[in-house]
């Protein structure tokens, strides 16, 4: 029996390769190009090697932005994941109310980033904003243009308002997939509410939780529009997160070399942290496997 | 441990039942003696699981009360009733090891560590899983998972009752027999009240001291395997128990004679006037083939089922099965006569067994 090797089928993949080449690889290569060269315009480039990378890594400003970014993402995850789970646990399982609450929960997710920013910008204004003027009337000295804590609090509350629903919806889907028999077995075995959560609900939610954590991490780590609209990165540079800083550097100061090097490292950091989350969360219960009794 | 009393119990899954047909369980009054080994037998959909779930409190009855001993537990949550239940399909806690799974009900009750350890080892031996205690439950096959579920059901020593809802469905036959023996032994050792749901009559008859037969949301008979065989209280019991089931023939009852079509069969007792659909029932084991006398029958075929042969015949258009004694000769042509042992004939009116007014033979009533 002879099988004729026919490799013509590979040509079918060609259009996709071309498309990906144009949409992803070419722009990326441009960035790589800028990252390793210097230019004085006129499309004349000089090889500078890792110079830009060194500059960015040594830069105090970058360290601060990275630190702010890490703290911001950590706070976002620490609030939205538990809160999302808690809300999902209290939702009705079926019936009219279930559909209604799901629609209500999904609403914030449908609002574009800059609109969310604008809404909260107006909402927190001291002169006309509902929240801002109420706080002012209560005698609270709230001013996100002046006070870093106020600015951070606003951004965090805004993000929680905007995105906790996503975590809730994902967890809700995970909870819905648990057969009734598991809850019945839990009742028969006299499991406490906590034990039911810990040994029945949480394991079944693990898959969707991984997705939720990754999505919320990546999204919060790349946050740009909202701080840009609400605080403009201020007061000072207290809310200047990585992408805000990147845009300042690339467009504001036109430092294309360092900005390109920065972009590449930004991308690698996101990839690295996502990978860490993924590995840790998928191995959580395998590790216990060999523990002797 | 205590006896369990069901009083005027009924259940419907409809919020607004329109009538009796909407009830999965029609009115039930029954007492389960403390320490009894019961089998709950019935066809699919007759309400067996519903009944168990009411006893364990996973569902609240639409009507009636449930008592444990003298205490009313109708509104008590499952945990308070302290009942073990094993479901038809395995439920294990995936992230726990086999040992943790078995220990779970004990840990939830706050038992001492040494006690849990030794009790789990004991149960592991019963289900034959001593070697795999530290394995994760995730990824085990369905029958192993079901053994774990069984183990979790048996691990508590102080339960009021253990309910098994067709627990051996996913287990393969030779292990089935083994596990059933273990359950029987568990019952002898600890004397828990056990209710074992099945629709396999051999399983029911080997496990139980007493068999409860359900049909269409009702309990039609409670009795020893022998009673069910000899004196089925309902045509369903007659037909469901025994292999093949009881022969049922429409008949007009006149005193101590049953008229089947134009033929007659003598009965073991004298019956008064019966209303509704009247039938006589006779076990295939209690019919004999004869050359003359008895009811004329047409032979359809003979089945060889291994242990014995079964003659399939027709009497006045109705099918009748006969268990042939070993080495019995058959008539050469396809007609013969059948004799029904009079004292073994049951008389049913609208499916329920009727007692004769003047029994001539005590065992036949
Ligand atoms: N959760 C439910 N919602 C609505 N109807 C149900 C529900 N569970 C059972 N029923 C109905 O109640 C009746 C009795 O069901 P049940 O599960 O008690 O039968 P069963 O005797 O256990 O049957 P099987 O041998 O198939 O397990 C059936 O008609 C079934 O359709
Ligand atoms: Mg069932």
């Amino acid at each position: 029996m002879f099988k004729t090797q026919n490799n013509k089928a590979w040509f079918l993949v060609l259009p996709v390769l071309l498309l990906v080449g144009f949409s992803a690889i070419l722009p990326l290569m441009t960035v790589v190009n800028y990252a390793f060269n210097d230019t004085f315009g006129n499309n004349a480039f000089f090889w500078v090697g890792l110079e830009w990378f060194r500059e960015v890594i040594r830069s105090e400003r970058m360290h601060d932005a990275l630190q702010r970014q890490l703290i911001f993402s950590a706070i976002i995850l620490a609030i939205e994941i538990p809160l999302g789970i808690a809300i999902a646990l209290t939702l009705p399982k079926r019936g009219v109310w279930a559909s209604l609450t799901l629609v209500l929960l999904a609403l914030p997710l449908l609002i574009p980033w800059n609109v969310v920013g604008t809404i909260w910008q107006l909402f927190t204004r001291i002169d006309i904003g509902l929240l801002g003027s109420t706080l002012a009337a209560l005698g609270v000295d709230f001013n996100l243009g002046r006070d870093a804590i106020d600015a951070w609090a606003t951004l965090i509350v805004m993000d929680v308002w905007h995105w906790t629903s996503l975590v809730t919806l994902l967890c809700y889907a995970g909870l819905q997939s648990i057969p009734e028999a598991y809850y019945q077995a839990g009742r028969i075995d006299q499991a406490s509410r906590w034990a039911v959560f810990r040994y029945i609900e949480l394991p079944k939610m693990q898959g969707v939780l991984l997705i939720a954590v990754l999505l919320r991490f990546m999204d919060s780590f790349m946050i740009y529009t909202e701080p840009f609209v609400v605080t403009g990165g201020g007061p000072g540079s207290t809310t200047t997160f990585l992408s805000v800083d990147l845009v300042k550097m690339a467009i504001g100061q036109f430092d294309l070399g360092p900005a390109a090097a920065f972009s590449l490292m930004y991308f690698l950091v996101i990839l690295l942290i996502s990978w860490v989350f993924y590995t840790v969360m998928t191995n959580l219960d395998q590790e216990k496997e060999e523990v002797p009794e | 441990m205590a006896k369990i009393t069901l009083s005027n119990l009924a259940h419907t899954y409809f919020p607004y039942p329109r009538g009796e047909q909407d009830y999965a369980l029609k009115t039930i009054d029954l007492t389960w003696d403390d320490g009894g080994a019961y089998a709950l037998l019935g066809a699919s959909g007759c309400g067996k699981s519903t009944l168990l779930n009411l006893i364990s409190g996973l569902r609240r009855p639409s009507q009636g009360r449930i008592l444990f001993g003298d205490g009313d537990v109708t509104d008590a949550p499952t945990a308070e009733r302290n009942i073990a239940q094993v479901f038809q399909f395995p439920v294990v806690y995936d992230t726990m090891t086999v040992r943790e799974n078995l220990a779970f009900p004990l840990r939830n009750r706050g038992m001492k560590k040494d006690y849990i350890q030794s009790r789990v080892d004991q149960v592991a031996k019963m289900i034959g899983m001593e070697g795999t205690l530290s394995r994760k439950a995730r990824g085990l096959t369905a029958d192993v998972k079901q053994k774990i579920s069984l183990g979790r059901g048996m691990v508590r020593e102080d339960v009021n009752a253990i309910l098994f809802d067709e627990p051996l469905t996913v287990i393969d036959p030779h292990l089935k027999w083994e596990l059933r023996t273990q359950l029987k032994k568990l019952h002898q050792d600890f004397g828990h009240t056990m209710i074992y749901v099945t629709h396999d009559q051999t399983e029911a008859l080997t496990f139980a001291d007493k068999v409860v037969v359900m049909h269409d949301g009702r309990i039609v008979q409670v009795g020893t395997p022998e009673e069910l065989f000899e004196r089925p209280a309902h045509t369903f019991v007659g037909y469901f128990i025994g292999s093949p089931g009881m022969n049922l023939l429409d008949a007009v009852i006149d005193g101590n004679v049953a008229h089947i079509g134009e033929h007659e069969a003598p009965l073991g007792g004298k019956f008064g006037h019966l209303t509704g659909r009247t039938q006589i029932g006779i076990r295939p084991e209690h019919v004999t083939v004869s050359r003359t006398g008895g009811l004329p029958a047409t032979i359809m075929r003979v089945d060889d089922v291994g242990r014995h042969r079964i003659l399939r015949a027709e009497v006045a258009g109705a099918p009748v099965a006969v268990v042939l004694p070993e080495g019995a000769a058959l008539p050469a042509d396809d007609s013969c006569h059948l004799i029904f042992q009079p004292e073994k004939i049951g008389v049913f009116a609208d499916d329920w067994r009727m007692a004769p007014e003047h029994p001539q033979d005590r065992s036949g009533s």
Side-chain angles (χ1 to χ4, degrees):
Chain A
M1 295 287 271
F2 290 100
K3 238 187 189 166
T4 44
Q5 282 284 337
N6 187 343
N7 283 330
K8 286 204 189 91
W10 286 106
F11 286 113
L12 294 178
V13 189
L14 208 62
V16 178
L17 279 181
L18 284 176
L19 206 68
V20 172
F22 269 109
S23 65
I25 312 230
L26 272 186
L28 189 67
M29 288 323 287
T30 325
V31 176
V32 171
N33 191 29
Y34 276 112
F36 292 97
N37 290 293
D38 198 357
T39 175
F40 300 106
N42 302 334
N43 258 349
F45 287 91
F46 308 91
W47 178 255
V48 293
L50 296 176
E51 181 57 34
W52 298 136
F53 288 89
R54 271 192 217 107
E55 185 182 318
V56 170
I57 286 175
R58 290 208 197 97
S59 146
E60 193 76 18
R61 177 176 149 191
M62 282 302 113
H63 292 171
D64 292 347
L66 179 65
Q67 200 182 355
R68 278 193 288 273
Q69 188 70 72
L70 286 171
I71 295 174
F72 182 73
S73 282
I75 294 177
I76 290 299
L77 286 180
I79 295 177
E80 288 181 10
I81 298 294
L83 187 62
I85 295 175
I87 296 175
L89 288 175
T90 57
L91 288 184
K93 286 224 164 90
R94 56 188 71 84
V96 195
W97 287 110
S99 332
L100 199 69
T101 41
L102 288 183
V103 171
L104 283 178
L105 276 171
L107 278 182
L109 301 176
L110 304 176
I111 307 175
W113 290 261
N114 53 351
V115 176
V116 170
T118 313
I119 291 174
W120 280 78
Q121 223 283 326
L122 294 174
F123 188 46
T124 51
R125 275 179 64 152
I126 308 165
D127 46 358
I128 55 167
L130 183 61
L131 182 67
S133 57
T134 310
L135 285 175
L138 290 173
V140 180
D141 182 22
F142 179 85
N143 188 334
L144 59 91
R146 224 180 330 109
D147 188 325
I149 305 268
D150 291 354
W152 270 75
T154 307
L155 288 180
I156 288 168
V157 171
M158 179 179 67
D159 200 88
V160 167
W161 174 81
H162 196 181
W163 291 112
T164 303
S165 302
L166 178 73
V167 181
T168 303
L169 292 181
L170 282 168
C171 291
Y172 186 73
L175 287 174
Q176 289 285 313
S177 72
I178 303 177
E180 183 61 25
Y182 280 80
Y183 291 108
Q184 295 188 336
R187 284 158 70 187
I188 293 288
D189 293 338
Q190 308 182 339
S192 61
R193 181 70 191 88
W194 165 252
V196 169
F197 173 70
R198 172 68 188 77
Y199 298 111
I200 298 174
E201 293 173 326
L202 199 56
K204 296 275 177 199
M205 280 196 291
Q206 202 186 10
V208 288
L209 270 181
L210 173 65
I211 296 174
V213 167
L214 284 179
L215 282 178
R216 284 318 300 134
F217 162 72
M218 289 192 276
D219 216 53
S220 65
F221 206 76
M222 296 188 284
I223 190 165
Y224 172 74
T225 319
E226 294 95 324
F228 180 76
V229 174
V230 177
T231 64
S237 56
T238 46
T239 56
T240 303
F241 299 121
L242 283 176
S243 43
V244 178
D245 210 15
L246 176 64
V247 171
K248 268 188 195 165
M249 188 190 286
I251 296 169
Q253 300 153 233
F254 219 67
D255 286 335
L256 290 184
F262 178 15
S263 310
L264 288 181
M265 287 193 293
Y266 194 177
F267 170 64
L268 289 179
V269 167
I270 292 177
L271 210 60
L272 178 75
I273 300 183
S274 299
W275 177 78
V276 169
F277 273 127
Y278 180 82
T279 330
V280 169
M281 287 187 71
T282 45
N283 287 328
L284 263 186
D285 53 285
Q286 263 85 4
E287 270 165 41
K288 278 200 306 194
E289 188 114 5
E290 300 310 322
V291 176
E293 304 292 320
Chain B
M1 279 184 247
K3 73 170 188 211
I4 299 173
T5 311
L6 312 178
S7 146
N8 193 26
L9 198 71
H11 190 70
T12 174
Y13 288 99
F14 294 87
Y16 306 105
R18 283 157 303 169
E20 197 177 52
Q21 76 276 12
D22 284 351
Y23 276 78
L25 281 186
K26 286 136 202 168
T27 317
I28 285 177
D29 282 285
L30 187 66
T31 303
W32 312 84
D33 291 329
D34 187 9
Y38 291 93
L40 187 54
L41 189 64
S44 199
C46 69
K48 305 181 295 289
S49 301
T50 307
L51 183 57
L52 287 201
N53 291 345
L54 294 184
I55 295 176
S56 64
L58 294 175
R59 288 192 177 277
R60 205 194 165 284
S62 314
Q63 174 199 310
R65 317 302 301 168
I66 299 171
L67 311 172
F68 284 9
D70 295 322
D72 188 328
V73 296
T74 316
D75 298 304
T78 302
E80 240 168 66
R81 300 189 190 193
N82 199 16
I83 272 203
Q85 185 170 358
V86 181
F87 303 103
Q88 184 170 4
F89 295 102
V91 177
V92 297
Y93 305 106
D94 278 339
T95 52
M96 296 188 198
T97 61
V98 175
R99 174 179 289 281
E100 288 166 336
N101 258 284
L102 295 177
F104 193 57
L106 300 177
R107 284 210 342 238
N108 289 331
R109 288 181 77 73
M111 303 284 190
K112 287 218 178 58
K113 258 204 151 86
D114 323 343
Y115 170 73
I116 294 181
Q117 170 97 22
S118 68
R119 180 69 189 144
V120 166
D121 285 336
Q122 236 173 320
V123 170
K125 195 171 280 163
M126 288 202 268
I127 56 173
M129 292 200 61
E130 308 100 305
T132 37
L133 276 177
S134 49
R135 269 205 61 172
K136 269 269 142 81
R138 171 176 296 161
L140 296 172
T141 56
D143 57 339
V144 178
K145 283 187 179 177
Q146 185 65 347
K147 283 203 282 178
I148 300 174
S149 304
L150 266 174
R152 263 203 344 268
M154 307 189 299
V155 77
R156 278 179 282 161
E157 290 175 277
D158 61 343
V159 286
N160 281 314
I162 310 183
L163 315 180
F164 299 97
D165 195 348
E166 303 187 45
L168 303 182
T169 311
V170 295
I171 305 251
D172 61 78
H174 82 276
L175 202 59
K176 235 180 205 171
W177 189 81
E178 165 87 34
L179 284 173
R180 211 157 52 217
T181 317
Q182 289 291 351
L183 291 183
K184 194 102 212 177
K185 184 163 180 310
L186 181 83
H187 181 254
Q188 282 155 6
D189 293 352
F190 288 99
H192 294 303
T193 310
M194 286 191 180
I195 304 176
Y196 187 102
V197 167
T198 175
H199 49 225
D200 176 347
Q201 53 160 317
T202 19
E203 205 164 279
L205 301 182
T206 51
F207 173 80
D209 308 331
K210 276 216 169 149
V211 180
V212 177
V213 185
M214 282 185 75
H215 176 57
D216 191 22
R218 277 199 183 81
I219 286 174
V220 288
Q221 191 168 9
V222 182
T224 62
E226 201 188 3
E227 281 166 352
L228 298 185
F229 187 82
E230 292 290 339
R231 282 186 301 283
H234 188 273
T235 52
F236 175 77
V237 182
Y239 148 85
F240 203 69
I241 305 272
S243 158
M246 184 177 250
N247 298 305
L248 291 163
L249 299 105
D250 281 314
V252 178
I253 309 297
D254 182 15
N256 55 3
V257 176
H259 298 272
I260 306 154
E262 63 242 35
H263 313 300
E264 288 182 2
L267 297 172
K270 199 165 167 19
F271 289 81
H273 179 66
L274 301 176
T275 51
R277 181 185 184 194
T278 49
Q279 287 168 293
I280 60 165
I282 180 84
R283 293 261 172 219
E285 290 81 354
H286 301 147
V287 183
T288 43
V289 182
S290 80
R291 286 197 190 281
T292 54
L295 301 158
T298 319
I299 298 177
M300 310 305 289
R301 62 174 201 276
V302 177
D303 296 336
D304 196 333
V305 293
R307 283 163 299 156
H308 47 241
R309 286 177 304 158
I310 294 166
L311 174 77
R312 304 281 179 180
E314 255 180 22
V315 171
V320 173
V322 182
V323 170
L324 294 173
E326 205 141 342
L330 283 173
D333 56 355
D334 58 3
S335 69
C336 66
H337 288 79
L338 299 179
I339 298 175
F340 296 174
Q341 294 177 34
E343 67 281 9
K344 299 289 188 185
I345 296 177
V347 172
F348 299 89
D350 280 337
D351 291 326
W352 291 95
R353 186 187 192 87
M354 293 293 130
E357 283 177 344
H358 307 292
Q360 289 162 3
D361 176 347
R362 298 188 74 87
S363 73
S365 59

